[in-house]
Amino acid sequence: MVVKELKEAMEDHSGLHVVMFPWLAFGHMILFLELSKALAKKGHHTTYVSTPRNLKRLPPLPPNLTQTITFVALPFPSIDGLPDQAEATSDLPLESVEYLKKAYDELKTPFTTLISARCSDWIIHDFASYWLPDVASDLGVPCAYFSIFPPPPAPLAVWEPFLSSRCAPQEELTSPPELADFPTKVSNLPFEAKQLLDFRFAVNASGVSDALQIRTSVRRCRALLVRGCHEFKSNWLALLAKLYETRIIPLTNAMDAWMPSGFEERINGRGFIQKGWILQMKILAHEAIGGFLTEKGIGVEVPRDALDGSVTSDDVAKTLRLVMVEEGGAGVRSRVGELKSVW
């Protein structure tokens, strides 16, 4: 029932108090803030918890939401290895982020004190607060893990062997999920599998590996929030529910794109911003589009180094020439021509 209550909160009901506790990286904090705004627009109150300097650097709230979103700053601890004023990953080189995770763990006590003093209906947390589900359980407050990974939700599915408590071999990590009841070739590439295995056992300054943090956050939450929708990749959402044995709540268009204040007004008449779904097929069918270079998923893949996954500029150029002009890419161009009639 409580999970249904949270799902309805994402849709059309009001009256909940939801606490947000993101990891100390702006890619996470911004998305948690946008989710807070989406809930506030439905009439819910959210308490957004972070550290003093991070809260000061967040974009300002729209005037109509200032009464429904409360910011609470937890005192940032002093940690050996962390420079002064370093409260986010953007303040640090990559090799020092482990000390930020140690500092984040020390927020457990003030966070627990805060939650104990407030009447909260839900806590929405991030991967790094692996200790939070136990705190929430002791206080009788359900919690949900918000995975910020972009849709489709396939990454969480192919990571399941890595996130499980058993020691999955690399071969399992490079194969599609066994529980998938639909045809798919989605899996980790060899270099990705190796990185995941290395990642599993890499203990940082906090004393806990990132793998254990993610696994605990996913396995002990009452619901898993993912970026996606049932209309698109519903099979992957169903697979996630089966793999992790928890309720999956897709967030669709719940978050407006974040832009600097006044940006839309400044480009009015000179540019165009499309929020939500775009007519991708119509855009790709336009005669001005000569090719489509994307991260992964369709078409011809740029060759990658099997050991580290790197690509070279020469390989990118060769692949583009193959697709666009060379004889070997004639089949690809022919298929594109056929698809244009569909688009």
Side-chain angles (χ1 to χ4, degrees), residues 92-146:
L92 297 163
L94 181 61
E95 60 269 17
S96 297
V97 171
E98 61 177 307
Y99 301 107
L100 190 65
K101 291 175 180 174
K102 184 177 181 180
Y104 190 74
D105 284 348
E106 294 202 11
L107 297 178
K108 176 180 178 179
T109 297
F111 181 83
T112 302
T113 301
L114 171 70
I115 298 302
S116 300
R118 290 174 179 251
C119 183
S120 305
D121 295 296
W122 274 90
I123 301 172
I124 298 180
H125 65 98
D126 215 326
F127 80 96
S129 51
Y130 66 97
W131 40 263
L132 193 150
D134 286 341
V135 170
S137 178
D138 290 343
L139 296 174
V141 182
C143 63
Y145 168 47
F146 177 22

Side-chain angles (χ1 to χ4, degrees), residues 266-338:
R266 291 199 299 274
I267 68 165
N268 186 35
R270 299 184 292 115
F272 176 75
I273 295 174
Q274 173 67 45
K275 296 181 180 179
W277 293 106
I278 64 170
L279 300 176
Q280 180 171 306
M281 291 188 292
K282 184 176 181 180
I283 293 171
L284 294 179
H286 195 279
E287 61 183 8
I289 303 298
F292 179 34
L293 181 63
T294 184
E295 181 184 3
K296 62 173 67 175
I298 61 174
V300 177
E301 185 174 356
V302 178
R304 307 184 73 165
D305 186 281
L307 296 179
D308 62 14
S310 62
V311 299
T312 67
S313 57
D314 287 342
D315 284 334
V316 173
K318 287 178 182 178
T319 305
L320 287 173
R321 283 196 296 270
L322 171 66
V323 172
M324 301 301 296
V325 297
E326 292 182 358
E327 184 177 348
V332 176
R333 294 192 293 275
S334 175
R335 289 195 297 273
V336 170
E338 295 171 2

Side-chain angles (χ1 to χ4, degrees), residues 259-267:
M259 293 171 291
S261 178
F263 181 75
E264 287 187 86
E265 291 75 12
R266 291 199 299 274
I267 68 165

Side-chain angles (χ1 to χ4, degrees), residues 140-202:
V141 182
C143 63
Y145 168 47
F146 177 22
S147 170
I148 71 160
F149 297 109
L156 276 175
V158 297
W159 287 2
E160 191 277 334
F162 152 71
L163 293 177
S164 67
S165 56
R166 57 194 172 83
C167 292
Q170 183 167 330
E171 292 74 20
E172 185 174 347
L173 286 167
T174 54
S175 303
E178 290 184 1
L179 291 180
D181 55 3
F182 53 91
T184 179
K185 295 182 179 180
V186 174
S187 63
N188 297 293
L189 296 174
F191 78 91
E192 293 172 323
K194 183 179 183 303
Q195 289 175 346
L196 287 174
L197 290 174
D198 293 342
F199 184 57
R200 177 202 289 270
F201 301 108

